[in-house]
Amino acid sequence: MLNIVFVASEAAPLAKTGGLADVAGSLPQALRRLGHKLTVIMPYYRRHLAKAGIKAKPTGDAVEMWADGHLRHCPLHEARVHGLRFLLIEQDDLYDRDGLYGPAGGAYDDNLLRYVLFNRVALEAMAKLGAPVDIIHCHDWQAGMLPVLLRTQYQHYAPIAKARTVYTIHNLAYQGVFPAEWLSRLGLPSHHHHPAGYEFYGQINCMKAGIMAADAVTTVSPTYAREILTPEYGCHLDGFLIQHISKLSGIVNGLDTESWDPATDEALAARFSAVRTAGKKRCKQALQERCGLDVSADTPLLTLISRLADQKGIDLLIPNIEAWMQRGYQLVILGSGDPSIEQHLHSIAARHPRQMHFNAGFDEAYSHQIYAGGDIFLMPSRFEPCGLGQLIAMRYGNVPVVRATGGLSDTVIDYHADKKCATGVHFTAATPEAFDAALEETISLYRNPTTWSRIRLNAIRRDSSWQASAQRYADLYKQLLAK
Ligand code: ADP
């Protein structure tokens, strides 16, 4: 049994902006099922926990820490979700805010202070856990500095001194880059601030720090692990990643198949499964009613749930919407992000109230209803480290049309490649035309009930559980400890 600590800036169901939260909430549970001891450390986002209805209680312990000229007293809190222990760091002026990382579409100016403090207090808190820590698994830029701090400033802390670190890149596009003036303000180890370390065009790059100092670096799908070594996907770190290639691997994400289960999902108008599919029709009808669309069982209902950011290829979608409306399809979109995209979608939806519905916001329960009610799930991403939307969609019988990139390539079986086992349709060129052609092909499959029901059942039956991937992480941890 290994003592494993996850350090993550968000984890479902406590606080979530995207796929990282799904992973940080569900992978630890899968590792526990393999017999390991898990703790997840994250900031105490007080109002987000309250919104999620999760109660935390003080552990009675606290960490004192100097940061940016102030001595901070950081009480520790604890929450348990399905037996998994979350250790939460209280610092209300930093973490109890409306956004996790910034106001809508922006970033807080003091994010480096917020997350370096989080990393340091996490290390101090681990030293108090009682048992020696075997593995510290850090996620994304918000935990990137931790492996550097562990190596340079926390080597004398016996309970963590021997711990091995794993750094997982959930999205290379968000690197946490900040002005170098923070080096002295936060007491960061400046002897690593050079091009082979975490310096990046004169600035501090937290993702580079994690890649440099961790014992192993993983990303969330094998295809994305290869793509980030190229200038097209490398976000200016491809050369640096190639230098560290010997410790890089890709492990595909799984899903929390208990909370994402159409057979038991309380948020749905009716439940369904691969053997009892009737409830799916009821879910489609309920979604059409909720969105004010014409209620029609035969009309193809297209769906999209996403952050509205360049990455997600919304610019490949928008030029097609009018044509799809003219062809009589319906479209339901749930997403928030770029205000100009939101405005654009609002104005198209206003022209087609009985065919299109756009909700600009983040709404967990509603997302379940869209996954369940939709026929076709759209994911035209320009790049996609893994993607969870398509995994959830498949499980809910919502057949994905995806751009063949990253984890979308690894998880959706393309109809062109394998007609018998297909779970969706791929397209390759990042153009609206290629997306439209793939959608038209999917619609013709939809019009053929035998073919459609086979693809839909393949999708529902796909094993998206964590079992295999959690075992891969456990094997990686053991390899590191054996070195
Ligand atoms: P990313 O992490 O890049 O945003 P993923 O596909 O990996 O994309 O994960 C997105 C997760 O966030 C999924 O669980 C998806 O259902 C959820 N999600 C995205 N946008 C919304 C929204 N507006 N409301 C509710 N859930 C959302």
Side-chain angles (χ1 to χ4, degrees):
M1 182 198 75
L2 302 178
N3 190 13
I4 302 164
V5 177
F6 269 48
V7 180
S9 58
E10 57 181 274
L14 286 74
K16 166 169 165 176
T17 68
L20 165 61
D22 291 303
V23 174
S26 56
L27 173 57
Q29 293 287 17
L31 289 163
R32 284 179 72 217
R33 283 194 285 275
L34 295 177
H36 303 294
K37 182 166 182 237
L38 266 294
T39 307
V40 181
I41 305 188
M42 60 183 265
Y44 185 13
Y45 302 111
R46 194 183 287 276
R47 69 189 71 174
H48 290 263
L49 262 79
K51 207 170 141 202
I54 291 166
K55 289 204 169 50
K57 59 175 198 298
T59 63
D61 223 334
V63 172
E64 304 280 334
M65 180 69 62
W66 279 96
D68 199 22
H70 297 280
L71 181 64
R72 287 182 171 269
H73 174 76
C74 309
L76 302 177
H77 297 251
E78 185 185 45
R80 279 193 189 265
V81 180
H82 304 306
L84 175 64
R85 182 178 190 226
F86 289 87
L87 204 55
L88 307 167
I89 296 164
E90 177 193 322
Q91 207 59 200
D92 283 347
D93 66 313
L94 297 183
Y95 306 133
D96 185 23
R97 298 181 182 175
D98 286 340
L100 294 193
Y101 312 122
Y108 296 126
D109 290 339
D110 57 356
N111 270 345
L112 190 63
L113 163 65
R114 297 171 76 223
Y115 289 104
V116 167
L117 181 79
F118 166 54
N119 290 192
R120 284 188 191 280
V121 178
L123 284 164
E124 300 263 353
M126 278 178 230
K128 293 170 181 273
L129 282 178
V133 175
D134 297 307
I135 295 289
I136 306 174
H137 192 153
C138 303
H139 298 268
D140 267 351
W141 76 260
Q142 293 89 343
M145 221 24 107
L146 189 145
V148 179
L149 296 170
L150 175 67
R151 280 194 180 185
T152 54
Q153 297 175 351
Y154 287 83
Q155 276 305 297
H156 55 288
Y157 280 60
I160 52 175
K162 292 211 171 78
R164 299 288 191 270
T165 50
V166 176
Y167 180 64
T168 295
I169 300 168
H170 294 262
N171 193 336
L172 191 65
Y174 301 94
Q175 297 179 3
V177 177
F178 300 91
E181 65 176 62
W182 283 103
L183 280 172
S184 55
R185 286 172 71 177
L186 296 174
L188 293 171
S190 54
H191 59 287
H192 284 302
H193 190 252
H194 52 75
Y198 61 81
E199 189 256 6
F200 186 69
Y201 300 100
Q203 297 192 293
I204 298 167
N205 183 320
C206 297
M207 176 129 332
K208 253 190 116 188
I211 296 167
M212 170 197 69
D215 297 308
V217 178
T218 68
T219 185
V220 288
S221 70
T223 296
Y224 191 61
R226 288 190 297 275
E227 287 174 342
I228 57 177
L229 303 174
T230 65
E232 190 186 349
Y233 292 96
C235 304
H236 305 288
L237 289 187
D238 40 299
F240 188 69
L241 281 159
I242 289 171
Q243 286 167 25
H244 292 275
I245 195 166
S246 61
K247 60 180 183 182
L248 175 69
S249 61
I251 301 178
V252 76
N253 280 340
L255 259 192
D256 172 356
T257 45
E258 272 173 35
S259 34
W260 294 108
D261 184 357
T264 55
D265 194 329
E266 294 288 328
L268 308 188
R271 256 103 358 237
F272 60 92
S273 67
V275 282
R276 293 159 68 99
T277 53
K280 171 99 190 153
K281 285 202 188 85
R282 175 76 195 94
C283 289
K284 177 171 177 179
Q285 187 190 338
L287 182 61
Q288 289 170 324
E289 282 165 0
R290 173 172 178 164
C291 297
L293 308 181
D294 289 328
V295 173
S296 149
D298 296 334
T299 304
L301 176 47
L302 319 181
T303 52
L304 182 140
I305 300 171
S306 180
R307 284 185 295 116
L308 300 178
D310 287 347
Q311 174 198 342
K312 300 295 180 178
I314 311 299
D315 57 324
L316 309 184
L317 168 85
I318 288 177
N320 284 314
I321 297 179
E322 281 297 343
W324 294 349
M325 294 294 106
Q326 261 142 43
R327 291 177 210 152
Y329 313 152
Q330 295 179 337
L331 175 61
V332 170
I333 299 178
L334 169 63
S336 59
D338 186 331
S340 66
I341 301 180
E342 288 187 9
Q343 213 170 3
H344 213 126
L345 292 173
H346 275 305
S347 68
I348 310 177
R351 289 200 289 274
H352 305 280
R354 306 206 51 90
Q355 274 181 282
M356 174 173 169
H357 189 264
F358 169 51
N359 186 316
F362 195 95
D363 187 332
E364 184 76 26
Y366 182 33
S367 76
H368 287 238
Q369 293 160 9
I370 299 175
Y371 284 118
D375 295 309
I376 296 170
F377 189 76
L378 308 174
M379 215 152 157
S381 305
R382 289 186 171 273
F383 68 93
E384 196 58 76
C386 178
L388 288 167
Q390 83 283 11
L391 299 184
I392 304 170
M394 285 189 277
R395 197 161 159 76
Y396 282 67
N398 194 344
V399 174
V401 177
V402 302
R403 192 159 165 262
T405 180
L408 297 173
S409 296
D410 291 344
T411 57
V412 176
I413 301 176
D414 180 23
Y415 183 75
H416 304 101
D418 188 339
K419 294 193 168 39
K420 194 159 157 259
C421 301
T423 60
V425 175
H426 288 191
F427 67 99
T428 305
T431 62
E433 293 75 21
F435 186 22
D436 182 42
L439 196 264
E440 277 314 283
E441 209 180 341
T442 311
I443 296 285
S444 63
L445 301 172
Y446 172 84
R447 305 264 189 230
N448 179 332
T450 318
T451 309
W452 191 248
S453 124
R454 187 177 69 241
I455 299 174
R456 210 171 57 181
L457 285 179
N458 288 344
I460 297 181
R461 291 198 176 113
R462 177 183 193 272
D463 179 7
S464 292
S465 74
W466 267 110
Q467 210 174 352
S469 294
Q471 189 59 56
R472 286 202 183 96
Y473 278 110
D475 293 344
L476 173 66
Y477 300 156
K478 285 177 195 157
Q479 275 167 27
L480 294 178
L481 289 163
K483 272 185 192 163

